[in-house]
Amino acid sequence: MGDAMTTRQSTALAAAFLWVALALGACGGGSSGTGTAASSLYTASCSDGSTRSSAVSVADAQVQCPASAPPASFTAIVSSPQPSTHPPGSEQKAAFDLLNQERLACGFGTLAQNAALDTAAMNHAMYQFINNVSSHDEDRDLYPAGFTGNNVLDRVWYAGYGTPATVQQASEDFAEGFRALATASTAGDGTFFTRALLSAPVHLASMMSDADAAGTAFVDSGTIASYPFGGRRSMVLFNFGFKARQSLDSAGVVTYPCQGSTGIVWKISNEIPGPIPGRDLSVNPIGPGIVVKVAANRVLAINAASIVNTGTSEATSTYILNTANDPSGGVVAPNLAVVIPLAPLAANTTYQVNVSGTNSGVPFTRSFTFMTGSTAS
């Protein structure tokens, strides 16, 4: 597009996500992931107390186990579309619907639109435009106009999404762009910015979280009377709620992109925080992140990952983003990792992805193809 675009992940979320990780440490359930060979058979223990056997491997025995429920305190993945009341044809609706479309297609669970989270998202987006700032935080002393809370939790409480006693977790992601001409069009920015957030590795981890609800805002300086700062600025901002967190069952492994995904941003040249320490993405860009996720009370380990251009058979080197190297300080949970191509991919091109790892010790593999789109960010 040729427009400057910035994506940011809230560093204020570290405490909230750390709280989640600590809470999960006490959760039980799921399969043991252990197996023994007896009479040439591999045996896996299932979450319902039964066992399954296979002559092939522990992993093959594991997949024969009955489907298990999500871990305690979580709800099952919502595997149906969820409508929104955003104005038809609006950038706000395009952003929300695209996020749910992609989450549904790849098995991450759809999000319910929440009016209070919508309000919180719009409040903070407008705060940034009114004060000409770009931040997940608000400062009542420096910029009192439009102030509704220092951080995302303060702001969702202010908007009526629970109270400090009932809600201890919320998250926020936004992407924005600036055009020099105040008359420039912002049509399509809702889709473009959401695509960018779904490809930037740290933000992708957040966008595919265990949230059950979302609020969405789209702000365009061209619609703000007497906007004093020049040019044309636009922004998509999501707030996420976790009152009824979604989880896969213990054997579940999902990815985004997944088989058949299209329109994936092919190059990432700007993300805050940067996903790879010491790497300036504006000088040395990367390809789109590929998230791999298991159930909320499980631990994911990626052993190998490959990304291959199906037309040329050229492989792209990868970097694995996980809890050990998470630059955000808590967005990447133990049940999630992001495979990052260390070079931009090609536009409008199909790629074969092969990922192998363990789900709390149980081996798995995933193989699929996806297609990039024509846009870079």
Side-chain angles (χ1 to χ4, degrees):
M1 291 178 60
D3 302 315
M5 198 274 302
T6 301
T7 55
R8 296 177 179 269
Q9 171 58 45
S10 175
T11 55
L13 295 184
F17 275 87
L18 178 61
W19 174 83
V20 173
L22 290 173
L24 289 179
C27 292
S31 304
S32 69
T34 60
T36 57
S39 303
S40 301
L41 292 178
Y42 295 91
T43 302
S45 299
C46 304
S47 61
D48 64 352
S50 65
T51 60
R52 295 293 186 273
S53 299
S54 167
V56 178
S57 65
V58 174
D60 186 62
Q62 184 73 50
V63 299
Q64 300 175 38
C65 287
S68 58
S73 78
F74 289 78
T75 60
I77 293 294
V78 179
S79 56
S80 59
Q82 299 206 49
S84 78
T85 60
H86 301 308
S90 67
E91 300 295 335
Q92 184 185 27
K93 180 174 174 60
F96 178 83
D97 287 352
L98 176 59
L99 174 57
N100 258 350
Q101 169 190 303
E102 301 299 273
R103 287 182 61 110
L104 176 63
C106 293
F108 288 80
T110 54
L111 304 167
Q113 180 190 354
N114 182 277
L117 292 175
D118 283 337
T119 298
M122 182 59 74
N123 285 346
H124 185 55
M126 286 300 298
Y127 175 88
Q128 295 180 77
F129 277 60
I130 292 168
N131 296 293
N132 199 29
V133 296
S134 182
S135 174
H136 285 285
D137 300 321
E138 296 184 9
D139 189 318
R140 188 200 306 266
D141 296 326
L142 288 177
Y143 303 105
F147 177 89
T148 57
N150 292 320
N151 57 51
V152 62
L153 269 173
D154 292 335
R155 296 191 294 269
V156 301
W157 294 332
Y158 179 90
Y161 185 76
T163 67
T166 61
V167 171
Q168 293 87 36
Q169 185 178 359
S171 65
E172 178 177 278
D173 295 279
F174 69 80
E176 63 176 324
F178 179 82
R179 298 167 173 87
L181 291 177
T183 56
S185 173
T186 59
D189 278 3
T191 295
F192 171 62
F193 291 155
T194 305
R195 286 283 185 198
L197 290 167
L198 287 169
S199 297
V202 179
H203 289 76
L204 172 59
S206 178
M207 298 282 278
M208 293 298 176
S209 72
D210 300 331
D212 66 289
T216 312
F218 179 79
V219 177
D220 173 3
S221 64
T223 65
I224 299 174
S226 302
Y227 182 71
F229 302 112
R232 191 154 188 177
R233 182 185 181 188
S234 56
M235 175 185 290
V236 162
L237 189 149
F238 292 98
N239 278 169
F240 297 104
F242 298 81
K243 289 182 178 179
R245 294 172 57 203
Q246 305 183 68
S247 176
L248 302 165
D249 63 44
S250 62
V253 181
V254 292
T255 70
Y256 181 84
C258 61
Q259 178 60 43
S261 294
T262 60
I264 306 301
V265 171
W266 60 274
K267 179 175 74 172
I268 306 297
S269 56
N270 194 342
E271 183 175 28
I272 301 172
I276 302 174
R279 183 160 176 155
D280 183 347
L281 299 188
S282 66
V283 175
N284 197 5
I286 57 175
I290 299 168
V291 72
V292 184
K293 187 177 182 183
V294 297
N297 64 337
R298 309 285 281 181
V299 177
L300 173 70
I302 302 296
N303 297 331
S306 64
I307 303 172
V308 178
N309 183 319
T310 60
T312 66
S313 297
E314 180 182 1
T316 302
S317 298
T318 61
Y319 173 90
I320 307 301
L321 172 63
N322 54 33
T323 55
N325 56 17
D326 175 12
S328 71
V331 171
V332 180
N335 67 321
L336 181 149
V338 184
V339 179
I340 303 175
L342 286 173
L345 304 184
N348 302 311
T349 300
T350 300
Y351 285 84
Q352 172 74 45
V353 178
N354 296 294
V355 179
S356 62
T358 57
N359 174 5
S360 283
V362 180
F364 72 87
T365 60
R366 290 294 182 272
S367 298
F368 58 93
T369 59
F370 73 88
M371 187 172 182
T372 57
S374 58
T375 57
S377 72

